PDB file of all heavy atoms in Angstrom:
ATOM      1  N   ALA A 342      10.613  23.140 -11.278  1.00  0.00           N
ATOM      2  CA  ALA A 342       9.916  24.200 -10.552  1.00  0.00           C
ATOM      3  C   ALA A 342       8.489  24.281 -11.090  1.00  0.00           C
ATOM      4  O   ALA A 342       8.116  23.556 -12.016  1.00  0.00           O
ATOM      5  CB  ALA A 342      10.640  25.534 -10.725  1.00  0.00           C
ATOM      6  N   ASP A 343       7.685  25.164 -10.507  1.00  0.00           N
ATOM      7  CA  ASP A 343       6.288  25.272 -10.933  1.00  0.00           C
ATOM      8  C   ASP A 343       6.165  25.664 -12.399  1.00  0.00           C
ATOM      9  O   ASP A 343       5.282  25.185 -13.108  1.00  0.00           O
ATOM     10  CB  ASP A 343       5.549  26.312 -10.078  1.00  0.00           C
ATOM     11  CG  ASP A 343       5.126  25.737  -8.735  1.00  0.00           C
ATOM     12  OD1 ASP A 343       4.930  24.517  -8.660  1.00  0.00           O
ATOM     13  OD2 ASP A 343       5.004  26.508  -7.778  1.00  0.00           O
ATOM     14  N   ASP A 344       7.055  26.565 -12.855  1.00  0.00           N
ATOM     15  CA  ASP A 344       6.872  27.143 -14.182  1.00  0.00           C
ATOM     16  C   ASP A 344       7.974  26.799 -15.176  1.00  0.00           C
ATOM     17  O   ASP A 344       7.975  27.307 -16.297  1.00  0.00           O
ATOM     18  CB  ASP A 344       6.769  28.669 -14.065  1.00  0.00           C
ATOM     19  CG  ASP A 344       7.997  29.280 -13.399  1.00  0.00           C
ATOM     20  OD1 ASP A 344       8.811  28.518 -12.843  1.00  0.00           O
ATOM     21  OD2 ASP A 344       8.135  30.517 -13.436  1.00  0.00           O
ATOM     22  N   ARG A 345       8.921  25.933 -14.779  1.00  0.00           N
ATOM     23  CA  ARG A 345      10.018  25.628 -15.690  1.00  0.00           C
ATOM     24  C   ARG A 345      10.778  24.409 -15.197  1.00  0.00           C
ATOM     25  O   ARG A 345      10.556  23.917 -14.084  1.00  0.00           O
ATOM     26  CB  ARG A 345      10.987  26.808 -15.781  1.00  0.00           C
ATOM     27  CG  ARG A 345      11.651  27.132 -14.443  1.00  0.00           C
ATOM     28  CD  ARG A 345      12.776  28.123 -14.583  1.00  0.00           C
ATOM     29  NE  ARG A 345      13.760  27.633 -15.523  1.00  0.00           N
ATOM     30  CZ  ARG A 345      14.783  28.367 -15.958  1.00  0.00           C
ATOM     31  NH1 ARG A 345      14.926  29.600 -15.531  1.00  0.00           N
ATOM     32  NH2 ARG A 345      15.651  27.870 -16.800  1.00  0.00           N
ATOM     33  N   THR A 346      11.687  23.927 -16.034  1.00  0.00           N
ATOM     34  CA  THR A 346      12.622  22.884 -15.618  1.00  0.00           C
ATOM     35  C   THR A 346      14.023  23.284 -16.056  1.00  0.00           C
ATOM     36  O   THR A 346      14.199  24.003 -17.045  1.00  0.00           O
ATOM     37  CB  THR A 346      12.278  21.516 -16.242  1.00  0.00           C
ATOM     38  OG1 THR A 346      12.387  21.604 -17.676  1.00  0.00           O
ATOM     39  CG2 THR A 346      10.878  21.073 -15.858  1.00  0.00           C
ATOM     40  N   LEU A 347      15.013  22.852 -15.285  1.00  0.00           N
ATOM     41  CA  LEU A 347      16.410  22.971 -15.688  1.00  0.00           C
ATOM     42  C   LEU A 347      16.889  21.552 -15.942  1.00  0.00           C
ATOM     43  O   LEU A 347      16.927  20.726 -15.025  1.00  0.00           O
ATOM     44  CB  LEU A 347      17.247  23.638 -14.597  1.00  0.00           C
ATOM     45  CG  LEU A 347      18.771  23.637 -14.826  1.00  0.00           C
ATOM     46  CD1 LEU A 347      19.130  24.376 -16.108  1.00  0.00           C
ATOM     47  CD2 LEU A 347      19.497  24.246 -13.630  1.00  0.00           C
ATOM     48  N   ASP A 348      17.245  21.264 -17.190  1.00  0.00           N
ATOM     49  CA  ASP A 348      17.562  19.900 -17.604  1.00  0.00           C
ATOM     50  C   ASP A 348      19.019  19.828 -18.029  1.00  0.00           C
ATOM     51  O   ASP A 348      19.427  20.487 -18.996  1.00  0.00           O
ATOM     52  CB  ASP A 348      16.651  19.481 -18.753  1.00  0.00           C
ATOM     53  CG  ASP A 348      15.179  19.568 -18.377  1.00  0.00           C
ATOM     54  OD1 ASP A 348      14.670  18.605 -17.789  1.00  0.00           O
ATOM     55  OD2 ASP A 348      14.559  20.611 -18.668  1.00  0.00           O
ATOM     56  N   ILE A 349      19.809  19.035 -17.298  1.00  0.00           N
ATOM     57  CA  ILE A 349      21.241  18.976 -17.568  1.00  0.00           C
ATOM     58  C   ILE A 349      21.698  17.534 -17.755  1.00  0.00           C
ATOM     59  O   ILE A 349      21.129  16.599 -17.188  1.00  0.00           O
ATOM     60  CB  ILE A 349      22.063  19.634 -16.439  1.00  0.00           C
ATOM     61  CG1 ILE A 349      21.794  18.942 -15.098  1.00  0.00           C
ATOM     62  CG2 ILE A 349      21.761  21.127 -16.352  1.00  0.00           C
ATOM     63  CD1 ILE A 349      22.688  19.431 -13.971  1.00  0.00           C
ATOM     64  N   GLU A 350      22.738  17.387 -18.553  1.00  0.00           N
ATOM     65  CA  GLU A 350      23.403  16.104 -18.767  1.00  0.00           C
ATOM     66  C   GLU A 350      24.811  16.236 -18.204  1.00  0.00           C
ATOM     67  O   GLU A 350      25.516  17.201 -18.515  1.00  0.00           O
ATOM     68  CB  GLU A 350      23.443  15.792 -20.262  1.00  0.00           C
ATOM     69  CG  GLU A 350      24.215  14.551 -20.635  1.00  0.00           C
ATOM     70  CD  GLU A 350      24.330  14.390 -22.147  1.00  0.00           C
ATOM     71  OE1 GLU A 350      23.514  15.006 -22.885  1.00  0.00           O
ATOM     72  OE2 GLU A 350      25.244  13.662 -22.596  1.00  0.00           O
ATOM     73  N   VAL A 351      25.216  15.301 -17.343  1.00  0.00           N
ATOM     74  CA  VAL A 351      26.520  15.404 -16.698  1.00  0.00           C
ATOM     75  C   VAL A 351      27.457  14.324 -17.220  1.00  0.00           C
ATOM     76  O   VAL A 351      27.060  13.441 -17.980  1.00  0.00           O
ATOM     77  CB  VAL A 351      26.390  15.323 -15.162  1.00  0.00           C
ATOM     78  CG1 VAL A 351      25.540  16.468 -14.644  1.00  0.00           C
ATOM     79  CG2 VAL A 351      25.788  13.991 -14.729  1.00  0.00           C
ATOM     80  N   ALA A 352      28.712  14.390 -16.771  1.00  0.00           N
ATOM     81  CA  ALA A 352      29.759  13.577 -17.380  1.00  0.00           C
ATOM     82  C   ALA A 352      29.705  12.105 -16.996  1.00  0.00           C
ATOM     83  O   ALA A 352      30.226  11.260 -17.731  1.00  0.00           O
ATOM     84  CB  ALA A 352      31.128  14.153 -17.013  1.00  0.00           C
ATOM     85  N   SER A 353      29.109  11.778 -15.856  1.00  0.00           N
ATOM     86  CA  SER A 353      29.132  10.383 -15.412  1.00  0.00           C
ATOM     87  C   SER A 353      27.901  10.048 -14.587  1.00  0.00           C
ATOM     88  O   SER A 353      27.237  10.942 -14.046  1.00  0.00           O
ATOM     89  CB  SER A 353      30.388  10.110 -14.570  1.00  0.00           C
ATOM     90  OG  SER A 353      30.321  10.813 -13.339  1.00  0.00           O
TER      91      SER A 353
END
Side-chain angles (χ1 to χ4, degrees):
D343 280 333
D344 58 349
R345 62 170 303 172
T346 63
L347 172 60
D348 302 275
I349 59 173
E350 175 186 340
V351 299
S353 68

